[in-house]
């Protein structure tokens, strides 16, 4: 009897542990997206070793995720205990997100599943999750040379109506939701909600927490192979078979500033779903800046044309200004044969309080806004 019970107990434990450490990904059909995990280096190492550990195809995607210069070499030294952002492909299925296809880890002499999860992959996942993903029945029985799928936590969910890049951040002991929110430009309520926790006391050190990073707004078309093309703030990436380099940098000239005073809740929602970042009493649309990469493409012999139709001479990333109006030739995606472009008109510098981006926002009614803000303030003060 005792023997028969044992496997049942183990599987119950496995389910509990997995539930505690996977990220919610609620897309109703299987979908994929780009995500990041924060790997904490165990020993002194270099970029090349991290690239192979996580089976990252191109070094430049590792460089872009960490905003390192493009000429950084594989031998670039990384000291122990440093956080490196590693790009992964996320597969969202059955309410959970896990990395798909990579990393694949080859079992070395002396390895155990616990060592692989807790030491090699810096606790980004639990050994029970590796066991489950690889149908390993006896966690003490793995063979040198076995190739193990490593299901890292990730998500593709929109957050508050915005497309974001989900980042698996390892919680340090003693840190709080407020600190993490501030470090990554989000807020405590959102962090708590998407991680299914209530308070700082629910935060567990050395476990990953799902942090939604703001992504740049692009002109990407829904039928592009790389839709929705999400680049997190402060990162760059390559797309269109390597022909195009895109940068998400809040500090560059691609920032639009609108000043609204004050905002309604529907105004806020409308702005957020149009990908604006609301900062105190103004809103910013951080646009993805893309330009030809000058790289040799991976699937084409040469890169297709990157010129905007009807604006001869303008390539992706170029703009012309007529007074305060600016038109920019923007990257709009790619397919088997074509790189798509679109001309984006921007008149936000025509006046300090530029026109709102949508009808919803222009329906703002000031008196109700003040009332709303008062109610919210009182609620927070007196609860
Ligand atoms: C989906 O998840 C539930 C519990 O989270 C599990 O019982 C079920 O087996 C899963 N289905 C598939 C197809 O993985
Ligand atoms: C780190 O270095 C120690 C000592 O050399 C070694 O035992 C351990 O396996 C290394 N850890 C990893 C994850 O490489
Ligand atoms: C984007 O990153 C910069 C620094 O890299 C930071 O100053 C800025 O607050 C971030 N913006 C958002 C909206 O997260
Ligand atoms: C950035 O914006 C400033 C002010 O709008 C302008 O003077 C400058 O030329 C711009 N720089 C680039 C590289 O477009
Ligand atoms: C970018 O912003 C525009 C207007 O604000 C919006 O219509 C569009 O959906 C956004 N694109 C993405 C990819 O979020
Ligand atoms: C377009 O941008 C490229 C750099 O990406 C620059 O070399 C070129 O001169 C620009 N062309 C025009 C017409 O501004
Ligand atoms: C800017 O564009 C608007 C319409 O988009 C137009 O009414 C206005 O005259 C333009 N201003 C300049 C200086 O070209
Ligand atoms: C690629 O996109 C272009 C522009 O949208 C379109 O004309 C062309 O038919 C598409 N080609 C394929 C193979 O889908
Ligand atoms: C794109 O090309 C691949 C092979 O190169 C082919 O399998 C696929 O069907 C093509 N897709 C489209 C939309 O033409
Ligand atoms: C704002 O709402 C108040 C109360 O409903 C109404 O009396 C007023 O006319 C509205 N103002 C505008 C500009 O719509």
């Amino acid at each position: 009897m005792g023997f028969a019970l044992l496997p049942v107990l183990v599987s119950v434990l496995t389910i509990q542990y997995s539930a505690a450490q996977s990220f919610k990904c609620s897309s109703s059909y299987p979908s994929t997206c780009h995500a990041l995990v924060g790997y904490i280096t165990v020993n002194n190492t270099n970029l090349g070793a991290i690239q192979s550990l996580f089976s990252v195809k191109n070094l430049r995607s590792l460089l872009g995720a960490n905003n390192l210069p493009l000429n950084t070499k594989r031998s670039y030294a990384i000291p122990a205990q440093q956080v490196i952002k590693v790009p992964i492909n996320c597969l969202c299925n059955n309410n959970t997100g896990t990395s798909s296809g990579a990393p694949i880890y080859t079992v070395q002499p002396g390895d155990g599943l616990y060592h692989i999860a807790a030491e090699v992959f810096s606790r980004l996942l639990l050994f029970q999750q590796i066991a489950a993903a690889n149908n390993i029945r006896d966690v003490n029985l793995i063979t040198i040379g076995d190739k193990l799928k490593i299901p890292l936590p990730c998500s593709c969910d929109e957050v508050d109506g915005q497309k974001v890049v989900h980042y698996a951040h390892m919680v340090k002991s003693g840190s709080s939701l407020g600190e993490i929110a501030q470090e990554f430009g989000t807020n405590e309520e959102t962090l708590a909600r998407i991680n299914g926790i209530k308070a700082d006391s629910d935060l567990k050190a050395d476990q990953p927490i799902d942090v939604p990073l703001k992504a740049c707004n692009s002109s990407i078309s829904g039928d592009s192979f790389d839709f929705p093309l999400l680049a997190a703030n402060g990162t760059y990436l390559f797309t269109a078979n390597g022909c195009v380099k895109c940068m998400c940098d809040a500090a560059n000239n691609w920032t639009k500033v609108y000043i609204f005073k004050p905002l309604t809740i529907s105004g806020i929602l409308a702005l957020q779903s149009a990908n604006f970042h609301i900062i105190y009493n103004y809103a910013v649309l951080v646009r993805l800046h893309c330009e030809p990469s000058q790289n040799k493409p991976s699937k084409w012999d040469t890169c297709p044309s990157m010129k905007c139709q009807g604006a001869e001479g303008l390539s992706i990333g170029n703009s012309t200004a007529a007074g305060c109006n600016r038109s920019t030739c923007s990257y709009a995606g790619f397919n088997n044969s074509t790189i798509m472009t679109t001309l984006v008109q921007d008149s936000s510098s025509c006046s300090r309080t530029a026109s709102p981006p949508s009808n919803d926002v222009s329906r703002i009614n000031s008196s109700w806004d003040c009332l709303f803000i008062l109610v919210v303030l009182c609620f927070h003060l007196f609860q």
Side-chain angles (χ1 to χ4, degrees):
M1 283 306 278
F3 282 98
L5 270 175
L6 200 57
V8 179
L9 257 174
V10 167
S11 61
V12 168
L13 279 177
T14 308
I15 288 166
Q16 279 183 349
Y17 274 118
S18 322
Q21 207 168 2
S22 26
F23 291 175
K24 216 174 105 202
C25 197
S26 50
S27 147
S28 48
Y29 51 92
S31 61
T32 58
C33 67
H34 169 78
L36 295 167
V37 297
Y39 172 62
I40 301 175
T41 51
V42 182
N43 293 328
N44 292 343
T45 182
N46 61 41
L47 273 183
I50 298 172
Q51 185 196 352
S52 26
L53 178 62
F54 284 88
S55 327
V56 178
K57 216 160 149 198
N58 295 305
L59 182 70
R60 61 185 187 215
S61 40
L62 199 52
L63 298 177
N66 294 281
N67 215 11
L68 288 166
L70 251 185
N71 58 4
T72 311
K73 297 272 184 295
R74 280 195 166 74
S75 57
Y76 183 76
I78 314 277
Q81 297 304 309
Q82 182 117 342
V83 180
I84 295 291
K85 292 199 177 94
V86 180
I88 60 170
N89 288 318
C90 184
L91 172 67
C92 184
N93 197 9
N94 198 18
N95 228 27
T96 324
T98 49
S99 55
S100 112
I104 301 288
Y105 178 80
T106 307
V107 176
Q108 308 292 313
D111 272 349
L113 278 188
Y114 176 82
H115 168 76
I116 296 171
E119 278 142 22
V120 179
F121 287 96
S122 76
R123 297 180 197 272
L124 279 163
L125 78 175
L126 296 166
F127 75 86
Q128 292 89 342
Q129 293 172 307
I130 305 181
N134 295 280
N135 297 316
I136 297 173
R137 287 176 162 264
D138 181 350
V139 295
N140 295 312
L141 202 70
I142 52 172
T143 315
I144 296 168
D146 276 356
K147 297 206 182 302
L148 302 179
K149 282 183 264 184
I150 305 296
L152 299 170
C154 60
S155 179
C156 298
D157 283 357
E158 290 191 2
V159 173
D160 298 329
Q162 267 184 298
K163 292 196 174 73
V164 298
V165 177
H166 287 265
Y167 172 58
H169 167 71
M170 293 301 293
V171 175
K172 293 184 200 83
S173 81
S175 74
S176 65
L177 285 171
E179 275 170 28
I180 299 172
Q182 189 171 19
E183 181 176 356
F184 296 103
T186 177
N187 64 67
E188 284 180 56
E189 291 74 25
T190 305
L191 272 185
R193 190 182 71 242
I194 67 176
N195 286 282
I197 58 178
K198 290 202 178 70
D200 287 340
S201 52
D202 298 328
L203 267 185
K204 299 219 167 49
D206 298 326
Q207 279 202 6
I209 181 175
D210 183 0
V211 178
L213 302 179
K214 298 216 161 61
C216 267
N217 178 274
S218 72
S219 308
I220 194 85
S221 142
D223 54 14
S224 172
F225 285 6
D226 56 355
F227 181 82
L229 188 65
L230 296 175
N233 182 27
T235 69
Y236 65 86
L237 53 77
F238 290 85
T239 187
N241 294 329
C243 289
V244 176
K245 180 188 184 193
C246 296
M247 290 149 272
C248 177
D249 181 359
N252 69 19
N253 266 7
W254 300 82
T255 309
K256 279 185 178 179
V257 179
Y258 292 103
I259 300 166
F260 299 110
K261 260 195 210 172
L263 281 175
T264 54
I265 192 86
S266 67
I268 291 173
L269 290 177
L271 278 171
Q272 284 185 336
S273 60
N275 234 349
F276 278 77
H277 303 168
I278 295 163
I279 303 165
Y280 187 46
N281 62 349
Y282 60 98
V284 184
L285 178 69
V286 185
R287 283 196 176 279
L288 195 63
H289 173 73
C290 299
E291 60 188 35
S293 70
Q294 320 296 350
N295 286 337
K296 210 181 144 346
S298 57
K299 285 192 181 143
W300 295 316
D301 294 335
T302 56
C303 293
S305 163
M306 291 185 238
K307 290 206 186 313
C308 266
Q309 270 189 354
E312 293 324 314
L314 288 195
S315 278
I316 289 176
N318 290 137
S319 45
T320 52
C324 57
N325 291 336
R326 177 179 281 269
S327 20
T328 303
C329 178
S330 294
Y331 172 69
F334 78 106
N335 61 20
N336 272 358
S337 55
T338 312
I339 289 183
M340 299 169 240
T341 57
T342 179
L343 212 53
V344 175
Q345 308 290 344
D346 174 7
S347 55
S348 62
S349 52
C350 288
S351 70
R352 274 189 59 78
T353 50
S355 57
S358 78
N359 292 335
D360 274 347
V361 179
S362 50
R363 272 191 248 117
I364 290 168
N365 182 321
S366 309
S367 51
W368 281 108
D369 274 314
C370 292
L371 187 60
F372 171 72
I373 287 165
L374 269 178
V375 167
V376 170
L377 274 178
C378 293
F379 182 72
H380 280 284
L381 283 174
F382 298 117
Q383 69 178 324

